[in-house]
Amino acid sequence: MKAGLLGGDAFRTPGVAAETAAEAVRSRLRILVYPHELAMGGSQINALELAGAVRDVGHDVFVFATKGVLLDKVQELNLPYIEAPQSRFAVDPATTRKLTATVRELGIDLVHPYEWTAILNTTFGPGLSTGTNVVMTVLSMDVPDFLPRHLPLIVGTPALADMEARRRGNIHVVEPPIDTIFNKPRGIAASRQELGVNEKTCVISIVGRLTTDLGKLGGVLAAINVVDRLLAHCDVTLVIAGDGEGYSQVRELAGRVNSSHGREVIRVLGNVLDPRAIYDAADIVLGMGSSALRGMAHAKPLIVQGRSGFWLTSSPETEEQFLRGGWFGAAGEGEAELEEALTSLVSNPSRRELLGAYGRALVEDRFSLGSAAERLLSIYHAQLSTPTRATALATSLARTGIETAKFRLVMKLLENTRAKHPAGGS
């Protein structure tokens, strides 16, 4: 079945749709996965790959989301797709209406929204009006306090789960999974030929959103500056794949560096739906979160990026830190730290090879897609088997409604302030 074409047995009859939660636990589940958008991003890719893996073990899985570049991946995974309305804020009436209608029409047993806007639309849509079971995931490193507390929450790291356990129960960890069959070394020479990159240069690759979120844009700009300096004593090329509000800024800085060297030493590719060649062509990968793990899956040495100038090489010595806190960091020494890490790896091919093999083995052992799907299904079954107390539901919804209204008011005030006093204005 092609994405966007829901026909045949994709819909249930009213009698089947009335199946109880207890029966659903024992049978084939019908699950609606709701990524907050289909723009390129780690959370969205994880949502789709897990949806495919859960479908592959015998369940009916549908995707509800606004259109975006990852619609191609939905089609590639052959997941039935329902287009969500474009919306600016949660809770969005048009979205909650269509989401609720979709849940009823498809006889959905459980909705799984990813990130806070999708979570709020689900909570005050089918979660409230039809009592549909909901499991929510936040893969960002910051979990908003206004999210409902009566629903199970999945996060991506043990450290974040410990932090959240101070203010809510029913916390689960599902580490970002990687499809290690799809993401694997294919041959550096072929990948470089595909990208038109010189075989002899040392390639540093970045794949990620060019946004200010979690300091991603600042890290990319820092990498361009560091590579500019490294070119004084070694032959390196930086390849950047990604899009976002910082794209023009990245292009501008890359253009200035390329002009100063008289050749293209910084390649800015924009959005690349299948970035495997970019990982595979690299000698070194820079990244965070799922992108970092995909770099390691391609057997590349990894320098992990975080916010506020954090850079640290992934190695057996730093493994415990990253396994507990995620492939991210909170503060560091900025460009100086990155330059030191890159210089060490650029000048040492044997260490690059050792760290690449280490990373591939770690991803295969710890982050397999199949294991993550099994863990996710156990969380679904637990939620379907556990009734929510009416008092807990009412308290949670009231609190989320009030706190969300406060959040929206603050965001509106900030928007009005920026409009009156734009950056660079008097």
Side-chain angles (χ1 to χ4, degrees):
M1 179 185 297
K2 291 184 179 180
L5 299 178
L6 296 180
D9 63 358
F11 291 89
R12 283 183 169 182
T13 62
V16 178
E19 181 182 46
T20 65
E23 290 170 332
V25 169
R26 297 190 295 269
S27 66
R28 187 181 184 99
L29 298 181
R30 293 174 72 84
I31 301 156
L32 186 63
V33 174
Y34 179 10
H36 68 295
E37 59 180 350
L38 288 182
M40 185 65 71
S43 177
Q44 299 91 298
I45 292 173
N46 286 337
L48 297 179
E49 290 185 343
L50 275 171
V54 169
R55 184 271 317 280
D56 288 346
V57 296
H59 301 280
D60 298 321
V61 184
F62 306 82
V63 174
F64 179 90
T66 55
K67 280 186 176 179
V69 295
L70 286 176
L71 183 55
D72 285 350
K73 188 167 186 67
V74 176
Q75 294 171 331
E76 175 189 309
L77 291 167
N78 200 27
L79 290 165
Y81 169 70
I82 303 93
E83 182 180 354
Q86 293 289 340
S87 59
R88 189 175 181 188
F89 298 111
V91 178
D92 179 68
T95 302
T96 57
R97 282 195 300 270
K98 183 162 185 180
L99 179 60
T100 302
T102 299
V103 166
R104 287 186 172 128
E105 196 168 13
L106 295 178
I108 295 297
D109 298 308
L110 182 143
V111 182
H112 186 172
Y114 283 72
E115 310 306 336
W116 69 268
T117 53
I119 290 168
L120 292 180
N121 282 326
T122 304
T123 300
F124 292 105
L128 179 61
S129 60
T130 69
T132 305
N133 282 281
V134 178
V135 170
M136 56 185 183
T137 288
V138 174
L139 291 179
S140 170
M141 298 307 295
D142 301 306
V143 179
D145 184 58
F146 53 72
L147 294 185
R149 295 186 179 176
H150 68 287
L151 299 175
L153 171 66
I154 298 172
V155 294
T157 71
L160 195 53
D162 288 348
M163 288 177 59
E164 280 302 301
R166 300 171 191 167
R167 59 185 182 184
R168 66 168 69 238
N170 211 351
I171 304 286
H172 306 272
V173 177
V174 176
E175 293 171 314
I178 300 298
D179 186 338
T180 53
I181 297 174
F182 186 77
N183 294 282
K184 63 182 180 181
R186 298 182 299 168
I188 191 168
S191 294
R192 290 195 176 191
Q193 184 176 10
E194 180 180 335
L195 296 174
V197 176
N198 189 310
E199 287 187 22
K200 296 181 180 179
T201 187
C202 182
V203 175
I204 303 162
S205 290
I206 301 175
V207 179
R209 299 290 302 280
L210 304 180
T211 68
T212 55
D213 180 44
L214 302 177
K216 294 174 184 176
L217 175 60
V220 174
L221 297 174
I224 295 173
N225 289 331
V226 169
V227 167
D228 185 21
R229 293 195 292 272
L230 288 178
L231 283 159
H233 52 81
C234 56
D235 183 13
V236 291
T237 298
L238 177 62
V239 179
I240 302 167
D243 203 355
E245 70 263 23
Y247 178 77
S248 59
Q249 195 174 348
V250 169
R251 287 280 299 180
E252 182 181 350
L253 180 57
R256 292 202 301 268
V257 172
N258 289 337
S259 294
S260 70
H261 291 278
R263 59 191 177 96
E264 190 179 41
V265 293
I266 314 291
R267 297 194 62 188
V268 183
L269 304 180
N271 191 55
V272 178
L273 186 60
D274 182 357
R276 287 178 295 171
I278 297 162
Y279 291 118
D280 211 30
D283 293 290
I284 303 164
V285 167
L286 313 181
M288 64 172 71
S290 298
S291 180
L293 289 170
R294 289 187 181 88
M296 288 196 292
H298 284 84
K300 306 299 177 178
L302 167 71
I303 301 176
V304 177
Q305 178 198 349
R307 60 160 62 100
S308 302
F310 177 93
W311 299 96
L312 184 63
T313 302
S314 172
S315 68
E317 294 73 32
T318 59
E319 176 180 305
E320 184 177 352
Q321 173 182 344
F322 291 129
L323 289 180
R324 174 153 183 79
W327 303 90
F328 185 70
E333 300 298 321
E335 291 183 14
E337 197 164 61
L338 175 60
E339 187 165 356
E340 181 180 354
L342 278 174
T343 300
S344 173
L345 289 176
V346 168
S347 62
N348 195 335
S350 60
R351 178 161 172 76
R352 294 202 304 265
E353 185 175 354
L354 286 172
L355 289 178
Y358 153 77
R360 173 70 190 181
L362 177 65
V363 172
E364 287 181 315
D365 181 60
R366 177 91 181 221
F367 297 95
S368 78
L369 186 59
S371 297
E374 289 177 9
R375 172 70 175 141
L376 186 58
L377 275 168
S378 72
I379 297 169
Y380 289 167
H381 288 150
Q383 176 63 5
L384 288 163
S385 303
T386 308
T388 302
R389 291 181 292 111
T391 52
L393 173 63
T395 301
S396 174
L397 289 176
R399 179 191 165 281
T400 294
I402 292 168
E403 294 302 319
T404 301
K406 289 179 182 177
F407 173 76
R408 290 180 65 171
L409 177 60
V410 169
M411 295 303 293
K412 184 65 176 177
L413 290 172
L414 286 173
E415 184 180 308
N416 291 340
T417 300
R418 292 191 187 106
K420 291 178 181 178
H421 305 285
S426 57

Short mmCIF file of all heavy atoms in Angstrom, two decimals, residues 377-418:
data_model
loop_
_atom_site.label_atom_id
_atom_site.label_comp_id
_atom_site.label_asym_id
_atom_site.label_seq_id
_atom_site.Cartn_x
_atom_site.Cartn_y
_atom_site.Cartn_z
N LEU A 377 7.14 -2.01 22.16
CA LEU A 377 5.91 -2.80 22.23
C LEU A 377 5.56 -3.17 23.67
O LEU A 377 4.39 -3.21 24.05
CB LEU A 377 6.05 -4.06 21.38
CG LEU A 377 5.72 -3.88 19.91
CD1 LEU A 377 6.17 -5.09 19.10
CD2 LEU A 377 4.22 -3.65 19.71
N SER A 378 6.57 -3.41 24.48
CA SER A 378 6.29 -3.73 25.89
C SER A 378 5.67 -2.52 26.60
O SER A 378 4.79 -2.68 27.47
CB SER A 378 7.57 -4.17 26.60
OG SER A 378 8.46 -3.08 26.83
N ILE A 379 6.09 -1.31 26.22
CA ILE A 379 5.51 -0.10 26.80
C ILE A 379 4.07 0.08 26.32
O ILE A 379 3.17 0.44 27.10
CB ILE A 379 6.37 1.13 26.44
CG1 ILE A 379 7.77 0.99 27.04
CG2 ILE A 379 5.71 2.43 26.93
CD1 ILE A 379 8.78 2.01 26.52
N TYR A 380 3.82 -0.18 25.03
CA TYR A 380 2.45 -0.12 24.51
C TYR A 380 1.54 -1.08 25.27
O TYR A 380 0.43 -0.72 25.69
CB TYR A 380 2.44 -0.51 23.02
CG TYR A 380 3.06 0.48 22.06
CD1 TYR A 380 3.33 0.11 20.74
CD2 TYR A 380 3.36 1.80 22.43
CE1 TYR A 380 3.88 0.99 19.83
CE2 TYR A 380 3.91 2.69 21.52
CZ TYR A 380 4.17 2.28 20.22
OH TYR A 380 4.71 3.16 19.33
N HIS A 381 1.98 -2.31 25.43
CA HIS A 381 1.15 -3.31 26.10
C HIS A 381 0.88 -2.92 27.55
O HIS A 381 -0.25 -3.11 28.04
CB HIS A 381 1.84 -4.68 26.04
CG HIS A 381 1.81 -5.29 24.68
ND1 HIS A 381 2.79 -6.14 24.23
CD2 HIS A 381 0.93 -5.18 23.67
CE1 HIS A 381 2.51 -6.53 22.99
NE2 HIS A 381 1.38 -5.95 22.64
N ALA A 382 1.87 -2.38 28.22
CA ALA A 382 1.67 -1.96 29.61
C ALA A 382 0.62 -0.85 29.70
O ALA A 382 -0.24 -0.85 30.59
CB ALA A 382 2.99 -1.50 30.22
N GLN A 383 0.68 0.10 28.77
CA GLN A 383 -0.29 1.19 28.78
C GLN A 383 -1.70 0.69 28.48
O GLN A 383 -2.67 1.13 29.11
CB GLN A 383 0.11 2.26 27.76
CG GLN A 383 -0.87 3.41 27.59
CD GLN A 383 -1.06 4.25 28.84
OE1 GLN A 383 -0.38 4.04 29.85
NE2 GLN A 383 -1.97 5.21 28.79
N LEU A 384 -1.84 -0.23 27.54
CA LEU A 384 -3.15 -0.78 27.21
C LEU A 384 -3.74 -1.59 28.36
O LEU A 384 -4.96 -1.75 28.45
CB LEU A 384 -3.04 -1.64 25.95
CG LEU A 384 -2.83 -0.87 24.64
CD1 LEU A 384 -2.34 -1.81 23.54
CD2 LEU A 384 -4.11 -0.17 24.20
N SER A 385 -2.89 -2.10 29.23
CA SER A 385 -3.34 -2.95 30.33
C SER A 385 -3.60 -2.17 31.62
O SER A 385 -4.08 -2.75 32.60
CB SER A 385 -2.28 -4.03 30.62
OG SER A 385 -2.01 -4.79 29.48
N THR A 386 -3.24 -0.89 31.64
CA THR A 386 -3.31 -0.11 32.87
C THR A 386 -4.33 1.00 32.76
O THR A 386 -4.10 1.99 32.03
CB THR A 386 -1.93 0.50 33.20
OG1 THR A 386 -0.94 -0.53 33.18
CG2 THR A 386 -1.95 1.18 34.56
N PRO A 387 -5.46 0.90 33.46
CA PRO A 387 -6.46 1.98 33.42
C PRO A 387 -5.94 3.23 34.14
O PRO A 387 -5.19 3.13 35.11
CB PRO A 387 -7.66 1.37 34.14
CG PRO A 387 -7.08 0.33 35.05
CD PRO A 387 -5.87 -0.21 34.34
N THR A 388 -6.35 4.39 33.64
CA THR A 388 -5.99 5.66 34.28
C THR A 388 -7.09 6.06 35.25
O THR A 388 -8.27 6.08 34.89
CB THR A 388 -5.81 6.77 33.23
OG1 THR A 388 -4.81 6.37 32.30
CG2 THR A 388 -5.40 8.08 33.88
N ARG A 389 -6.72 6.39 36.49
CA ARG A 389 -7.70 6.83 37.48
C ARG A 389 -8.28 8.18 37.07
O ARG A 389 -7.57 9.07 36.61
CB ARG A 389 -7.05 6.93 38.86
CG ARG A 389 -6.68 5.57 39.45
CD ARG A 389 -6.08 5.69 40.83
NE ARG A 389 -4.76 6.34 40.79
CZ ARG A 389 -4.50 7.55 41.27
NH1 ARG A 389 -5.47 8.27 41.81
NH2 ARG A 389 -3.28 8.04 41.21
N ALA A 390 -9.58 8.34 37.26
CA ALA A 390 -10.28 9.56 36.83
C ALA A 390 -9.70 10.80 37.48
O ALA A 390 -9.54 11.85 36.84
CB ALA A 390 -11.77 9.43 37.13
N THR A 391 -9.37 10.71 38.77
CA THR A 391 -8.84 11.89 39.47
C THR A 391 -7.47 12.28 38.93
O THR A 391 -7.18 13.46 38.76
CB THR A 391 -8.74 11.62 40.99
OG1 THR A 391 -8.02 10.40 41.20
CG2 THR A 391 -10.12 11.51 41.61
N ALA A 392 -6.64 11.27 38.66
CA ALA A 392 -5.31 11.55 38.10
C ALA A 392 -5.42 12.17 36.72
O ALA A 392 -4.68 13.10 36.37
CB ALA A 392 -4.48 10.26 38.04
N LEU A 393 -6.37 11.68 35.92
CA LEU A 393 -6.58 12.22 34.58
C LEU A 393 -7.03 13.68 34.64
O LEU A 393 -6.47 14.54 33.95
CB LEU A 393 -7.64 11.38 33.86
CG LEU A 393 -8.11 11.89 32.49
CD1 LEU A 393 -6.95 11.89 31.51
CD2 LEU A 393 -9.26 11.04 31.97
N ALA A 394 -8.02 13.97 35.50
CA ALA A 394 -8.54 15.33 35.60
C ALA A 394 -7.47 16.30 36.09
O ALA A 394 -7.31 17.41 35.55
CB ALA A 394 -9.75 15.36 36.53
N THR A 395 -6.71 15.89 37.09
CA THR A 395 -5.66 16.76 37.64
C THR A 395 -4.59 17.04 36.60
O THR A 395 -4.13 18.17 36.43
CB THR A 395 -5.02 16.09 38.88
OG1 THR A 395 -6.04 15.87 39.86
CG2 THR A 395 -3.92 16.97 39.45
N SER A 396 -4.17 15.99 35.88
CA SER A 396 -3.12 16.13 34.87
C SER A 396 -3.56 17.04 33.73
O SER A 396 -2.82 17.94 33.31
CB SER A 396 -2.74 14.76 34.32
OG SER A 396 -1.84 14.87 33.25
N LEU A 397 -4.80 16.84 33.24
CA LEU A 397 -5.29 17.65 32.13
C LEU A 397 -5.45 19.11 32.53
O LEU A 397 -5.12 20.02 31.74
CB LEU A 397 -6.61 17.09 31.62
CG LEU A 397 -6.54 15.76 30.87
CD1 LEU A 397 -7.94 15.29 30.51
CD2 LEU A 397 -5.69 15.88 29.62
N ALA A 398 -5.96 19.35 33.74
CA ALA A 398 -6.12 20.73 34.20
C ALA A 398 -4.78 21.43 34.31
O ALA A 398 -4.60 22.57 33.85
CB ALA A 398 -6.84 20.73 35.55
N ARG A 399 -3.80 20.72 34.87
CA ARG A 399 -2.47 21.31 35.02
C ARG A 399 -1.84 21.60 33.65
O ARG A 399 -1.29 22.68 33.42
CB ARG A 399 -1.58 20.34 35.81
CG ARG A 399 -0.16 20.84 36.00
CD ARG A 399 0.74 19.75 36.56
NE ARG A 399 2.11 20.17 36.38
CZ ARG A 399 2.78 20.09 35.23
NH1 ARG A 399 2.19 19.59 34.17
NH2 ARG A 399 4.02 20.52 35.15
N THR A 400 -1.92 20.64 32.74
CA THR A 400 -1.34 20.84 31.41
C THR A 400 -2.03 21.98 30.67
O THR A 400 -1.37 22.79 30.00
CB THR A 400 -1.44 19.53 30.59
OG1 THR A 400 -0.62 18.55 31.21
CG2 THR A 400 -0.99 19.74 29.16
N GLY A 401 -3.35 22.06 30.79
CA GLY A 401 -4.08 23.15 30.13
C GLY A 401 -3.65 24.51 30.63
O GLY A 401 -3.40 25.44 29.83
N ILE A 402 -3.52 24.66 31.94
CA ILE A 402 -3.11 25.95 32.54
C ILE A 402 -1.68 26.30 32.15
O ILE A 402 -1.39 27.42 31.72
CB ILE A 402 -3.27 25.89 34.07
CG1 ILE A 402 -4.76 25.80 34.45
CG2 ILE A 402 -2.62 27.12 34.72
CD1 ILE A 402 -5.00 25.47 35.90
N GLU A 403 -0.77 25.33 32.29
CA GLU A 403 0.64 25.59 32.00
C GLU A 403 0.88 25.85 30.51
O GLU A 403 1.73 26.67 30.14
CB GLU A 403 1.51 24.43 32.48
CG GLU A 403 1.52 24.23 33.99
CD GLU A 403 2.01 25.48 34.72
OE1 GLU A 403 2.98 26.11 34.26
OE2 GLU A 403 1.39 25.84 35.74
N THR A 404 0.11 25.18 29.65
CA THR A 404 0.24 25.42 28.21
C THR A 404 -0.23 26.82 27.86
O THR A 404 0.39 27.52 27.04
CB THR A 404 -0.56 24.38 27.41
OG1 THR A 404 -0.08 23.07 27.72
CG2 THR A 404 -0.42 24.61 25.91
N ALA A 405 -1.34 27.25 28.48
CA ALA A 405 -1.85 28.61 28.24
C ALA A 405 -0.82 29.65 28.66
O ALA A 405 -0.59 30.65 27.95
CB ALA A 405 -3.15 28.81 28.99
N LYS A 406 -0.15 29.41 29.79
CA LYS A 406 0.90 30.34 30.25
C LYS A 406 2.04 30.37 29.24
O LYS A 406 2.58 31.44 28.91
CB LYS A 406 1.44 29.89 31.61
CG LYS A 406 0.48 30.08 32.77
CD LYS A 406 1.14 29.58 34.05
CE LYS A 406 0.22 29.70 35.25
NZ LYS A 406 0.83 29.14 36.48
N PHE A 407 2.45 29.20 28.76
CA PHE A 407 3.54 29.11 27.79
C PHE A 407 3.20 29.87 26.52
O PHE A 407 4.02 30.63 25.98
CB PHE A 407 3.83 27.64 27.50
CG PHE A 407 4.83 27.42 26.39
CD1 PHE A 407 6.18 27.61 26.60
CD2 PHE A 407 4.41 27.01 25.13
CE1 PHE A 407 7.10 27.40 25.60
CE2 PHE A 407 5.31 26.81 24.11
CZ PHE A 407 6.67 27.00 24.35
N ARG A 408 1.99 29.67 26.03
CA ARG A 408 1.58 30.34 24.79
C ARG A 408 1.54 31.85 24.98
O ARG A 408 1.89 32.61 24.06
CB ARG A 408 0.23 29.81 24.33
CG ARG A 408 0.29 28.39 23.83
CD ARG A 408 -1.05 27.86 23.37
NE ARG A 408 -1.55 28.58 22.21
CZ ARG A 408 -2.62 28.21 21.51
NH1 ARG A 408 -3.29 27.14 21.88
NH2 ARG A 408 -3.03 28.91 20.47
N LEU A 409 1.13 32.31 26.16
CA LEU A 409 1.09 33.74 26.44
C LEU A 409 2.50 34.33 26.42
O LEU A 409 2.74 35.39 25.82
CB LEU A 409 0.42 34.00 27.79
CG LEU A 409 0.37 35.46 28.25
CD1 LEU A 409 -0.41 36.31 27.25
CD2 LEU A 409 -0.24 35.56 29.64
N VAL A 410 3.44 33.62 27.05
CA VAL A 410 4.83 34.09 27.07
C VAL A 410 5.39 34.15 25.66
O VAL A 410 6.05 35.12 25.27
CB VAL A 410 5.70 33.18 27.98
CG1 VAL A 410 7.18 33.50 27.80
CG2 VAL A 410 5.30 33.33 29.44
N MET A 411 5.13 33.10 24.85
CA MET A 411 5.64 33.08 23.48
C MET A 411 5.04 34.21 22.65
O MET A 411 5.73 34.83 21.83
CB MET A 411 5.32 31.73 22.83
CG MET A 411 6.03 30.55 23.48
SD MET A 411 7.83 30.73 23.50
CE MET A 411 8.19 30.62 21.76
N LYS A 412 3.77 34.52 22.88
CA LYS A 412 3.12 35.61 22.16
C LYS A 412 3.73 36.95 22.54
O LYS A 412 3.98 37.82 21.68
CB LYS A 412 1.62 35.61 22.46
CG LYS A 412 0.82 36.65 21.67
CD LYS A 412 0.84 36.35 20.18
CE LYS A 412 -0.02 37.31 19.40
NZ LYS A 412 0.05 37.08 17.94
N LEU A 413 4.01 37.13 23.83
CA LEU A 413 4.64 38.37 24.29
C LEU A 413 6.03 38.53 23.69
O LEU A 413 6.43 39.63 23.27
CB LEU A 413 4.71 38.40 25.82
CG LEU A 413 3.37 38.54 26.55
CD1 LEU A 413 3.55 38.36 28.05
CD2 LEU A 413 2.74 39.91 26.25
N LEU A 414 6.79 37.43 23.64
CA LEU A 414 8.13 37.49 23.04
C LEU A 414 8.05 37.83 21.55
O LEU A 414 8.85 38.60 21.03
CB LEU A 414 8.84 36.14 23.23
CG LEU A 414 9.34 35.83 24.64
CD1 LEU A 414 9.85 34.40 24.70
CD2 LEU A 414 10.43 36.81 25.05
N GLU A 415 7.06 37.24 20.86
CA GLU A 415 6.89 37.51 19.44
C GLU A 415 6.56 38.98 19.21
O GLU A 415 7.09 39.62 18.29
CB GLU A 415 5.76 36.62 18.91
CG GLU A 415 5.53 36.74 17.42
CD GLU A 415 4.40 35.83 16.96
OE1 GLU A 415 4.46 34.63 17.27
OE2 GLU A 415 3.48 36.32 16.30
N ASN A 416 5.69 39.54 20.04
CA ASN A 416 5.32 40.95 19.91
C ASN A 416 6.51 41.86 20.19
O ASN A 416 6.71 42.88 19.53
CB ASN A 416 4.17 41.29 20.86
CG ASN A 416 2.86 40.64 20.45
OD1 ASN A 416 2.72 40.25 19.29
ND2 ASN A 416 1.94 40.50 21.37
N THR A 417 7.33 41.47 21.19
CA THR A 417 8.51 42.26 21.53
C THR A 417 9.51 42.27 20.39
O THR A 417 10.08 43.31 20.05
CB THR A 417 9.18 41.69 22.81
OG1 THR A 417 8.24 41.74 23.88
CG2 THR A 417 10.42 42.50 23.18
N ARG A 418 9.72 41.09 19.78
CA ARG A 418 10.66 41.02 18.65
C ARG A 418 10.16 41.85 17.47
O ARG A 418 10.94 42.45 16.74
CB ARG A 418 10.86 39.56 18.23
CG ARG A 418 11.59 38.71 19.26
CD ARG A 418 11.97 37.37 18.66
NE ARG A 418 12.52 36.49 19.68
CZ ARG A 418 11.86 35.45 20.20
NH1 ARG A 418 10.65 35.18 19.80
NH2 ARG A 418 12.42 34.70 21.12
#
